[in-house]
Amino acid sequence: MADTTVLREGLRFGEGPRRGPDGRLFYSDFYEREVRALDLDTGAEEVVCAVPGQPSGLGWLPDGRLLVVSMRDRRVLRLEDGDLVEHADLGDIATFHANDMLVDAHGRAYVGNFGFDLHGLIAEAGGEAPLLEPGWEPPGATLALVRPDGTVSRAAEDLKFPNGMGLLPDGRLLVAETLAFGLTAFDVADDGTLSGRTPWAALREHGIAPDGIAVDADGGAWVAPALQACAFRVEEGGAVTHRVATSQPCFAVAVVGDRLVCCTAPTSQPEVVAGAHLGKLEVFDLRGTPGNA
């Protein structure tokens, strides 16, 4: 039985949820090719922009302009007066679809990519996920750093499907490495470059292949496990403090005020979800949990 309340049904595949500057929930629907904004109190929703190249990660420059990852053409786009323009081209770094993104208070964007065609590999294997096979080693991917002026550099190499990201209270960048079954922390220099790569939480023993994450005020990370119908709260060192059951597998999470928002779907395989409306937004009341006392 789910611990969550279903707030929205009929999505194709929700991803990249973020609390926007105006307090609303912003999220991407991959296969509707739309970015949407939802008022969690009133239920009012609007389409913010259409992204033909398939939207994913979201963030904002310091002046409030929206950045959105365009997955298939491996770009970051910027919303200018209602129109999307190119902010950065990731083609020299991303070796497959661009994916999740974190934009910091300085307007620096950290952008991950698949590294290889995972969904194609799973389809060829008849639906079996090779990441569960002992000894299977996925290709590495490079995390991109996009500066506010759109220039691109390599932030970190050989990440195993870099996915959700968050900033810890001490300033470190936390990255979910989905196919390494763990969360990795980096020190962030004044110029945005990364160093001091450190394992933050090993999650394989819990069967958690971390997808989207959201850091709370106490420095814990809410984790969408992709392969399980729940969300977990994890602390540095790997301790799991909370488990929130969802109605179907959870692929992304956001903390919006005192609510945990979960993007759920039966699977992430495009051949199942792209042509259907099986995705949901589910909400859990965080009051009384760490970081939301």
Side-chain angles (χ1 to χ4, degrees):
M1 182 176 179
D3 299 318
T4 53
T5 299
V6 175
L7 183 65
R8 275 287 186 278
E9 295 184 285
L11 284 65
R12 294 186 190 269
F13 191 82
E15 258 284 10
R18 293 282 189 274
R19 182 185 185 277
D22 60 8
R24 292 184 297 171
L25 174 77
F26 286 68
Y27 69 96
S28 296
D29 189 327
F30 276 13
Y31 305 115
E32 289 289 358
R33 308 297 204 269
E34 291 177 347
V35 176
R36 300 173 182 158
L38 173 66
D39 188 313
L40 295 180
D41 294 319
T42 68
E45 187 173 50
E46 70 166 317
V47 175
V48 177
C49 59
V51 183
Q54 192 170 309
S56 185
L58 305 172
W60 289 266
L61 293 169
D63 61 10
R65 287 176 295 170
L66 175 69
L67 299 181
V68 54
V69 170
S70 182
M71 298 181 69
R72 291 180 172 272
D73 53 7
R74 307 177 197 182
R75 295 189 296 162
V76 177
L77 306 178
R78 186 178 68 250
L79 190 61
E80 294 275 2
D81 299 321
D83 295 320
L84 287 173
V85 300
E86 182 174 285
H87 184 68
D89 185 340
L90 308 176
D92 290 338
I93 288 182
T95 47
F96 203 66
H97 295 341
N99 194 22
D100 217 330
M101 173 173 67
L102 180 137
V103 183
D104 69 13
H106 303 285
R108 299 178 300 224
Y110 298 90
V111 191
N113 73 93
F114 287 21
F116 69 106
D117 186 1
L118 174 64
H119 291 140
L121 186 64
I122 292 173
E124 289 177 5
E128 296 297 321
L131 67 159
L132 299 177
E133 298 176 6
W136 182 73
E137 183 69 18
T142 298
L143 187 70
L145 168 59
V146 180
R147 301 190 184 280
D149 64 359
T151 56
V152 181
S153 61
R154 295 170 180 264
E157 306 277 359
D158 196 30
L159 296 172
K160 306 304 181 184
F161 209 97
N163 217 319
M165 287 170 276
L167 285 171
L168 294 163
D170 62 10
R172 288 179 296 166
L173 178 70
L174 190 63
V175 182
E177 291 192 69
T178 303
L179 299 184
F181 286 82
L183 304 177
T184 302
F186 293 89
D187 295 324
V188 182
D190 290 343
D191 64 356
T193 56
L194 304 181
S195 64
R197 180 174 180 167
T198 306
W200 194 85
L203 301 173
R204 187 179 291 273
E205 67 177 282
H206 302 290
I208 300 174
D211 193 329
I213 66 172
V215 174
D216 66 27
D218 283 353
W222 285 97
V223 178
L227 303 177
Q228 302 180 55
C230 59
F232 294 96
R233 184 182 182 275
V234 178
E235 293 184 338
E236 186 166 10
V240 174
T241 64
H242 292 76
R243 178 184 182 275
V244 173
T246 54
S247 69
Q248 52 186 352
C250 180
F251 293 92
V253 290
V255 174
V256 182
D258 56 10
R259 285 167 283 203
L260 178 72
V261 180
C262 303
C263 296
T264 71
T267 176
S268 64
Q269 283 299 108
E271 63 270 20
V272 176
V273 295
H277 291 87
L278 304 173
K280 301 176 185 179
L281 294 180
E282 306 186 30
V283 179
F284 177 75
D285 189 341
L286 289 173
R287 284 175 292 185
T289 63
N292 289 270

